[in-house]
Amino acid sequence: MDSGGHTDPPADDTARADGSGHHVPEGQAPEEYGDHRGHGDHGEPEHNHRSRWPFIAAAGAAALYGGFALFIFGAETELVPRPIGIGLAVVGAAALLAGIGGWLNQAFLAPARERQEPHKSRGSYVSTTMLFLTTDVSTFGGLFIYYFFIRVGTWPAAELPPLLGSLVIINTALLVTSSITLHYAHESLGHGNRRRFLTLLCATLALAIVFLAGQAYEYYEFITAEGFTLTSGIFGSAFFGLTGLHGFHVALGIGGIAILCWRALRGYYGPDRDTSIATVSLYWHFVDAVWLFLVVVLYVGASI
């Protein structure tokens, strides 16, 4: 230490400390540490970090949902050309995906590649994810309220197809199992069992992909065999609106889990480096819970 009280950086940069004194191995993202304080190596305070990506994602989501609404409105009334709704939905989906991709890159991937200082603590990332999921409930809630208004009217709807079948049961079992495997993958990481962690994490990804493929096959059967589509009356718009929105969330979750697998195979995670695992797990368990509620209300409830 010189007269100015400044500590020279260590000669060996293969390990360095985050704000709480953890030593961060080379190539490791410091934001993954579970209890860092968000300070740099020299005790400098954390700089405020603002990102434009959440706003881009929110604007894209609004355009996506608005486009679907215009498409349905145009199909029912012919007051709005349906291509306008389709075009707005496509633009919104692109903006939403770009916003989420940029957000993930800025929050998790860039720090891993560039070994930047952390912007937020683990608790901040988790609480932000919880806030996002809380607001996402309102998105599903709007469509569920629409369905409930349909359900209290004349029932059953004329366009109601056979909903309950083995495919729904299999898909539900796949999604619930994927939530379980992700939970125990996170638990295995906490216990330092890397092989079990990787196996369960990759199994989660495979189960999620098969679930989404099963939902796509269900759509194919409804459209080709039953002639049941998004424009098949008010129940059709409610069914495809709810299941499609959930499928979109599943697709985003698959992207997140795929990133986890990519990073896990490169050794980015450890017992005290699990921020990404914790946040994606919260999101995936939310998607699982919404599906169970959807099955009870939409599939079983519509058949009663």
Side-chain angles (χ1 to χ4, degrees), residues 37-165:
R37 301 296 184 268
H39 299 290
D41 290 341
H42 304 293
E44 297 175 356
E46 173 186 357
H47 296 287
N48 290 331
H49 173 67
R50 294 179 177 86
S51 174
R52 69 183 183 276
W53 294 113
F55 298 101
I56 295 175
L64 174 63
Y65 303 147
F68 275 122
L70 284 177
F71 173 79
I72 296 171
F73 181 73
E76 295 294 330
T77 65
E78 298 185 355
L79 295 176
V80 179
R82 281 182 284 183
I84 293 179
I86 295 175
L88 182 60
V90 170
V91 172
L96 176 59
L97 291 174
I100 292 175
W103 199 359
L104 288 173
N105 178 68
Q106 191 175 60
F108 299 117
L109 298 183
R113 292 193 305 268
E114 302 168 15
R115 285 173 283 176
Q116 299 169 346
E117 296 304 325
H119 295 305
K120 296 181 180 179
S121 67
R122 180 188 192 276
S124 179
Y125 278 109
V126 172
S127 61
T128 302
T129 303
M130 292 292 291
L131 180 61
F132 166 75
L133 295 179
T134 300
T135 58
D136 206 30
V137 169
S138 62
T139 304
F140 282 99
L143 285 174
F144 275 115
I145 291 172
Y146 172 63
Y147 168 72
F148 292 146
F149 272 108
I150 296 172
R151 191 65 175 83
V152 297
T154 303
W155 200 262
E159 70 275 10
L160 182 66
L163 295 174
L164 287 177

Side-chain angles (χ1 to χ4, degrees), residues 31 63 85 124 128 147 183 194 200 203 221 223 276 282 286 288:
E31 106 282 345
S124 179
T128 302
Y147 168 72
H183 169 76
R194 174 176 165 78
L200 291 174
E221 286 290 304
I223 293 171
S276 302
L282 282 173
F286 169 80
D288 192 358

Side-chain angles (χ1 to χ4, degrees), residues 12 61 91 111 120 126 156 163 174 186 204 223 238 295 304:
D12 181 10
V91 172
K120 296 181 180 179
V126 172
L163 295 174
L174 287 171
H186 194 185
T204 301
I223 293 171
V295 167
I304 298 176

Side-chain angles (χ1 to χ4, degrees), residues 164-256:
L164 287 177
S166 58
L167 183 58
V168 177
I169 298 173
I170 293 172
N171 272 355
T172 302
L174 287 171
L175 197 60
V176 171
T177 303
S178 71
S179 195
I180 294 172
T181 55
L182 185 55
H183 169 76
Y184 282 106
H186 194 185
E187 209 172 70
S188 299
L189 178 66
H191 294 149
N193 192 334
R194 174 176 165 78
R195 176 173 294 185
R196 189 165 182 256
F197 163 65
L198 289 172
T199 300
L200 291 174
L201 188 62
C202 292
T204 301
L205 179 61
L207 290 167
I209 292 173
V210 174
F211 170 86
L212 193 61
Q215 191 169 10
Y217 179 74
E218 181 185 55
Y219 278 8
Y220 172 80
E221 286 290 304
F222 279 145
I223 293 171
T224 59
E226 304 292 338
F228 179 60
T229 67
L230 179 66
T231 58
S232 297
I234 54 176
F235 180 76
S237 62
F239 177 85
F240 284 100
L242 280 167
T243 57
L245 180 62
H246 181 268
F248 181 69
H249 279 71
V250 170
L252 294 178
I254 288 174

